[in-house]
Each structure stands twice: as C-alpha cells, then as structure tokens.
Amino acid sequence: MPTGVGVAVVGAVSLVGEALIEVLEERAFPLGELHLLDAGEGVGHTVPYKGRNLRVSAADRFDFARVQLVFLVGASALVSECHVAASAAGCRIVDLSGSISVERQPCLVPEVNGALLDSSPDRLAVASPLPASVALALALAPVRHQLGLVGVTVTACLPVSSRGAAGVKELARQTSELLNARPLEPRVFGRQMAFNLLAQAEEVDPHGHGAQERRLVDELRQLLQNPELAVAVTFIQAPVFFGESLVVSLRCSLDVDVQALSAALEAAPGVEVVGGDDYPTAVGDAVGQDVIYVGRVRCGIGDPRQVNLWIVSDNVRKGAALNAVQSGELLIKDYL
Amino acid sequence: MPTGVGVAVVGAVSLVGEALIEVLEERAFPLGELHLLDAGEGVGHTVPYKGRNLRVSAADRFDFARVQLVFLVGASALVSECHVAASAAGCRIVDLSGSISVERQPCLVPEVNGALLDSSPDRLAVASPLPASVALALALAPVRHQLGLVGVTVTACLPVSSRGAAGVKELARQTSELLNARPLEPRVFGRQMAFNLLAQAEEVDPHGHGAQERRLVDELRQLLQNPELAVAVTFIQAPVFFGESLVVSLRCSLDVDVQALSAALEAAPGVEVVGGDDYPTAVGDAVGQDVIYVGRVRCGIGDPRQVNLWIVSDNVRKGAALNAVQSGELLIKDYL
C-alpha cells in the first residue's frame, strides 16, 4: 500500500496553482510526493510548502507515471499536452482548464454531484468548473426542485484576479496612475480598468459570446441536471482585486416562499446566508473562505415566480483551488 | 409676450443641480430669470452661469409665482414642499425626485414619449425618471415591437456619483486609504466601497426591494407602455466615479434577428451602438455625452428569443440633467 498519493500540479506558478498548494497543505490530504510543474518563466520558481521551498520543474519533461493524481491549472497548449500525457500514464486528473466539453469530461462540485464518482468508480478525469459555476451550483442545486427552476439569468462580476497576478498588478498600477494624475497605460485589459466596468471579461466569438459564458451554460445545465435550463449569462470585469460577485435572477414554475427558500439555502453545504438588514460582499465576507455567501434573497416585485439572489465567492480559493482539491480527494478515495 | 421663461432649480447645490444649470447654459433654452434654490448649507453658495456667479437662495422663502418652470432635484422634504408651493403658484414642474407615483405624475423621456404633451397640452408636471429608466427606455422603446418584448432583467451598476458629491469623495478617500495601507473608515456607504461591489445601492424594504428598484419597474412599464412587462431589477453599487453600466437580458416572444436589432438601435434617437470587436464603457464613452451607448448586442446562447445588451450612460448628465431640461423644453414650448 502506498504511503500517500503522488500529486503533480501543472500551472503551479499562478494564483490558482499557489492557492491549490496552500489548500493541499491545510487539508488532511494523503499526499505523497508533490511535483510542481510549469513552463517558460515559471520553471525554477520556488513555492513554499510545509516549511520547505519546492522548486517548479518543466512540465513537458515530466514523467507522469511518477504520480497518481494531476491538477491541470490554466488553459494553455501546455495543459492540453499534459492532459494527454497524464491520461496515457493512467493518472487521475482534475482539470481546471475548461478545454474539454462537459460531455466528454463531466464537471464536479463535490457538495453537489460528488455521487457521480460512486456511480462511475472507474472515472479517471473530472473537470473543476468555473468559479461562477461552482457558486451557482452550490446555491441552486439544493433548491431547484423547491423552485421549479426554469431559467437563470446571471451577471457575473469578475475581479481582476480572474486574469491572474497580471490582472491584480494592472488594477493597482492603473489606480495609482489615476490618483496621481499620471497618464494611463492600459496593458492587460486594453483600456481603463480602474474606476470602470468592462462589458466583457474576454474576447468574444462572432455570435458575441465569450468562451467562459458558453462554458458556464454547459456546466450549469450539467450540474443542475437540466439540459433544458434557460441560461442568460454576462461576464463583466470589475475593478475588484479578489472575489466574484454574482447577480442572479431566477424564473420558477412554482410560487416561491422566501422564508422556506432561505431556510433551504442555510441548510445547503458550502453556503452561508446573510439576511436581515445585512448583505455579504466579496471583499468583506467571501475572500479567503471555504463557503460561498448568499444575500438579498427575495422574490420579484409583485412576482412570486421570480427569485433574485446576490452571491459572493472567493474565485481563486473556493471557486477553483478548493473545489479542485475536494474533487481530487473524491477521485483518490478508493485508491488508498 | 415674456422675454424668456423664469426658471427655478430646487436642489441646485448637487451634482445633478449643477449639471442641470450647465445644460441650461449650453442649450438654446429660452431662459429669463434663473433662481437657484436649496436649503441648509447650500444656501449662500454660488454657481457659475454665463460668466456670472449666481447665489443660491433659501427655497423655503422663495415665491414660486416669480417663475414659470421649476426643476426639483433630489428627494427630500424640501423638494416635496416646493412641489406643493410651485403647483399652487401654477408653475410647470419637472420633478426628478421620484417621490410621486407614475400614475399621478407621468414620467417623460422626450425621445420616447414626448408626444405625451401633445395629447395632454394642459399638463403642468412631469417626472424625469431614474437614469437607468431613461437609458433602458431609450434603448428598448424603439425595438420592443420588433422583439415582442415580454421580460427585462437588469443589473444596474451605479457609480458612487449616484450618491452625490459625498459618494465621489468617499470612493476617492477609501481608495487612497487602502493604497496607502491606512485604516479604512467607511462613512457614506457603511462598508468598503473601494475595490468592492455592494449588493444594493440603498436601504431595502421588508420584501428586500430598494425604492429605486420599485421605481424603475413602474417607470419602465409606463415608458414602454406595457403594464404587464416582467421586470427583474437589481441595483448594485460599483467603485466607479461617474457613469452607469446596465447589464440587460430580454425575453422575447419573437425570434430575434441580431442584425436587424442592431440597425434599429442605431436608428434610435439618443442611442449609439458600438459593435464589432469593440464595446463601450461608462468612463471611456458615456461620461459627458448626450447619448447612451449600447454594446454586446447578442442573442442568447442557442436561444433566439433571448437578447442581451450592455448599456452605459452618464447618470448625472444624460440620465438626469439633460433629460430634465429636454422635458422642460417640451413643457414650455406652447408657453412662449
């Protein structure tokens, strides 16, 4: 019997990669060897882990037969190549890249559809969905029957950390330039991000949709087990460093009792409800936390079949790193 | 025949009041005497107008019989009292306060329902609606039949200037405190506003709705002449100084042709469409402009009866001051 699970993290030199290593350290993950992998400038970096500094190696030269579990962070050609190599080596894979369709590689939010792995115990690869999909699934899966959920409209306000460390640096630099009346030099976002909102978080296709918007629709329908669910989604980019805010409006086929809905949300795993006169915010509540926060739970104005919610979540930790590690724990539970 | 229209501006010492005076100066408004009125600390301030400095007088001592047209800016007991006094004096009134229901005092967006005054030429008072209602009406009224518009879901991201000069000052102060690692002292917004998003822009009632959210539903139904229109609205507060951004999702009863929709929007008065690979932003496009900007015009993902839009507008100028002055021009056109 092995003494622990050998793990590789591809894309280790990134906000999510580093958060993932932190989460592995914090949780009682039965870790054997840990290999940190990346490409380009990331190779040679060191990342702290349990009091040591682990060196990041070149992913393209790594022998995936040395590990049993692989986390794939970020969307890149490197990640796609490593997916192929890790699969060929028989590794179990948690893929955060979103580069494979949910039909071929189902997405997993352990609190919501962890039973997926009980019904397919031989499954070797799962996707960890977008942070916004994680948050929406955590809030909506436990209440969808109670609501007779028919449609979801969501405005996902992404923080600059959704673009990694470069996004964080850019907002800080632009803010300082503006406050000091220096000329603004947009780089990462291509225009003024400080004190402004951007209509989209990425390039869009000829139909006007971003890849993350399409991905969210697919993931949400799968996680809520409703391929017919009507989903309208807009990702916008907000001048916030960390933490995602979602403005959610639901169409329901049943008249909704707000008290009962709030009670069901409070009982849902991974969800905290903030009610009364208060509401949660990304910065004040969600960042650094292992749960999502739901507030402003209310019906429509004169419409009991409309429900509106506000959800905040730590996009790096809860939405990505923690969900991936929780998924990894399920993938290897029969292995030990 | 009078040489010009005597005008009073109640609430002159405010962002909207000052913008309104600017707009009066810029346009060929047939202005006679101009009286600037306010209460409390505002009294005694001076406001520049055509190279002179006009002194602000106490509104509660003003004889409204001296003017023919009154603009009421801001929601306060003072404004309500002045409404009564101005009505009693037979003045025509443009009320920006939102304190009177749209059934009793219809709202006016000249490009959209300016004909209201042709059909009721004896009307003396109109409301200038919320900036978000102005923007939505400008974009949706010309296309609602083409879409078979059934429902509107909107996330209105308000800038801090929606809370006046105090909101602007607070965001600047908080940003500087955070960048300089000084302790944060929230005042106007009650919590961290810099680099954060707030779930609501005002206090909410026991059903969870803000007064502006209720007002927008009423105004939009009236402006779009559809009392049955399903409207889901959330006002959030964003760390942006000026300019409102609206994320809009529409449910339609007809399959929508995006090209035809874009063309109709481009032809609509007061509307500019930004298409192709580009999109407008509040800071980059809308602020200081007399039109609203619409971008990201697209159908739903696989759903031709869903339409999504992004709208940016100058909340102080186009959404309030200019709309009020345009309304005033219509109210007095038969007077001269």
Side-chain angles (χ1 to χ4, degrees):
Chain A
M1 184 172 164
T3 55
V5 178
V7 169
V9 179
V10 177
V13 184
S14 62
L15 289 180
V16 171
E18 286 163 27
L20 200 151
I21 294 158
E22 252 180 59
V23 171
L24 281 173
E25 182 170 342
E26 286 169 25
R27 292 173 72 92
F29 192 93
L31 193 65
E33 283 185 15
L34 175 60
H35 297 272
L36 307 186
L37 307 173
D38 215 311
E41 290 184 3
V43 178
H45 271 240
T46 57
V47 176
Y49 179 76
K50 291 201 173 172
R52 291 181 297 149
N53 280 316
L54 297 186
R55 194 174 169 283
V56 176
S57 309
D60 59 354
R61 293 194 217 138
F62 185 69
D63 175 10
F64 284 95
R66 296 174 64 188
V67 297
Q68 289 79 49
L69 178 65
V70 177
F71 293 100
L72 298 172
V73 177
S76 64
L78 175 78
V79 160
S80 300
E81 287 158 23
C82 289
H83 198 298
V84 173
S87 298
C91 300
R92 293 161 204 223
I93 295 172
V94 179
D95 179 4
L96 292 92
S97 74
S99 54
I100 296 179
S101 78
V102 295
E103 285 79 36
R104 292 207 293 131
Q105 180 179 265
C107 55
L108 190 63
V109 176
E111 295 94 329
V112 169
N113 67 338
L116 175 77
L117 295 174
D118 297 332
S119 54
S120 341
D122 54 345
R123 184 172 296 289
L124 293 185
V126 295
S128 187
L130 285 173
S133 302
V134 171
L136 286 167
L138 285 170
L140 302 183
V143 300
R144 67 186 195 277
H145 296 305
Q146 173 175 352
L147 302 175
L149 186 62
V150 174
V152 179
T153 301
V154 58
T155 302
C157 308
L158 300 193
V160 294
S161 55
S162 67
R163 300 282 274 267
V168 172
K169 205 170 150 188
E170 169 96 352
L171 175 58
R173 189 178 51 74
Q174 283 197 13
T175 304
S176 167
E177 282 168 356
L178 287 169
L179 287 189
N180 293 293
R182 289 201 305 270
L184 193 72
E185 293 180 19
R187 291 170 206 163
V188 176
F189 298 103
R191 58 185 86 196
Q192 181 176 333
M193 178 75 260
F195 308 115
N196 200 11
L197 294 165
L198 307 188
Q200 58 198 50
E202 57 192 328
E203 295 295 298
V204 300
D205 63 28
H207 297 281
H209 308 298
Q212 291 186 86
E213 290 168 346
R214 289 189 181 275
R215 187 178 163 195
L216 181 128
V217 174
D218 292 339
E219 291 177 344
L220 203 56
R221 286 176 175 162
Q222 187 179 74
L223 288 165
L224 300 183
Q225 299 181 298
N226 182 354
E228 306 299 319
L229 187 70
V231 184
V233 56
T234 303
F235 278 79
I236 70 171
Q237 193 86 54
V240 169
F241 288 109
F242 294 98
E244 208 163 88
S245 300
L246 308 178
V247 181
V248 184
S249 185
L250 309 175
R251 274 190 302 128
C252 310
S253 63
L254 302 171
D255 283 8
V256 174
D257 177 327
V258 171
Q259 301 298 329
L261 172 60
S262 290
L265 287 167
E266 273 166 21
V271 177
E272 286 284 330
V273 176
V274 178
D277 290 340
D278 202 9
Y279 61 83
T281 72
V283 169
D285 300 273
V287 171
Q289 300 302 311
D290 291 353
V291 295
I292 64 159
Y293 290 79
V294 179
R296 294 206 73 194
V297 181
R298 65 199 194 280
C299 277
I301 294 173
D303 185 352
R305 297 194 169 193
Q306 184 201 111
V307 166
N308 299 288
L309 303 172
W310 163 262
I311 302 175
V312 290
S313 155
D314 185 327
N315 56 308
V316 172
R317 184 180 172 90
K318 178 60 180 170
L322 177 59
N323 191 72
V325 172
Q326 288 173 311
S327 298
E329 288 168 355
L330 289 183
L331 269 183
I332 54 126
K333 73 174 177 201
D334 62 319
Y335 173 83
L336 290 170
Chain B
M1 185 173 163
T3 55
V5 178
V7 169
V9 179
V10 178
V13 185
S14 61
L15 288 181
V16 171
E18 286 163 26
L20 201 151
I21 295 158
E22 252 180 60
V23 171
L24 281 174
E25 182 170 343
E26 287 169 25
R27 291 173 73 92
F29 192 95
L31 194 66
E33 283 187 16
L34 174 61
H35 297 271
L36 307 185
L37 306 173
D38 213 313
E41 291 185 0
V43 178
H45 272 241
T46 57
V47 176
Y49 178 77
K50 292 201 171 170
R52 291 180 297 150
N53 279 316
L54 297 187
R55 193 173 169 282
V56 177
S57 309
D60 59 353
R61 292 195 219 139
F62 184 70
D63 175 10
F64 284 94
R66 297 175 62 186
V67 296
Q68 288 80 47
L69 177 65
V70 177
F71 293 99
L72 298 171
V73 178
S76 63
L78 174 77
V79 161
S80 300
E81 287 159 23
C82 290
H83 197 299
V84 173
S87 299
C91 301
R92 293 159 205 225
I93 296 171
V94 179
D95 179 5
L96 293 91
S97 74
S99 54
I100 295 178
S101 78
V102 295
E103 285 80 36
R104 292 207 293 131
Q105 181 179 266
C107 53
L108 189 62
V109 175
E111 295 94 329
V112 170
N113 67 339
L116 175 76
L117 294 174
D118 297 332
S119 55
S120 339
D122 54 346
R123 185 171 296 288
L124 292 186
V126 296
S128 187
L130 285 173
S133 302
V134 172
L136 286 167
L138 285 171
L140 301 184
V143 299
R144 67 187 194 276
H145 296 303
Q146 172 175 354
L147 302 174
L149 185 62
V150 174
V152 178
T153 301
V154 58
T155 301
C157 308
L158 300 193
V160 294
S161 55
S162 67
R163 300 282 275 267
V168 172
K169 205 170 151 190
E170 169 96 352
L171 175 58
R173 190 177 50 74
Q174 284 197 14
T175 304
S176 166
E177 282 169 356
L178 287 168
L179 288 189
N180 293 295
R182 290 200 305 269
L184 193 73
E185 291 180 21
R187 290 171 206 163
V188 176
F189 298 103
R191 59 185 85 197
Q192 182 176 335
M193 179 73 261
F195 309 114
N196 201 12
L197 293 165
L198 307 187
Q200 59 198 50
E202 56 193 327
E203 294 294 299
V204 299
D205 63 28
H207 297 281
H209 308 298
Q212 291 185 87
E213 290 168 345
R214 289 189 181 276
R215 187 177 163 194
L216 181 130
V217 173
D218 292 339
E219 290 177 344
L220 203 57
R221 284 177 175 161
Q222 187 178 73
L223 288 165
L224 300 183
Q225 298 179 299
N226 182 354
E228 306 298 320
L229 187 70
V231 183
V233 55
T234 303
F235 278 80
I236 70 171
Q237 193 85 53
V240 169
F241 287 108
F242 294 98
E244 207 162 87
S245 301
L246 308 178
V247 182
V248 183
S249 186
L250 309 175
R251 274 190 303 128
C252 309
S253 64
L254 302 172
D255 283 8
V256 174
D257 177 327
V258 172
Q259 300 299 328
L261 172 60
S262 290
L265 287 168
E266 273 165 23
V271 177
E272 286 283 329
V273 177
V274 178
D277 290 340
D278 201 9
Y279 60 84
T281 72
V283 169
D285 300 274
V287 171
Q289 300 303 311
D290 290 353
V291 295
I292 65 159
Y293 290 80
V294 179
R296 293 207 74 194
V297 180
R298 64 199 195 279
C299 277
I301 295 172
D303 185 352
R305 297 195 170 191
Q306 185 202 109
V307 166
N308 299 287
L309 304 170
W310 163 263
I311 301 175
V312 291
S313 156
D314 185 327
N315 55 307
V316 172
R317 185 181 172 89
K318 177 60 180 169
L322 176 59
N323 192 72
V325 172
Q326 287 173 310
S327 299
E329 288 167 355
L330 289 184
L331 268 182
I332 54 125
K333 73 175 176 196
D334 62 317
Y335 174 81
L336 290 171

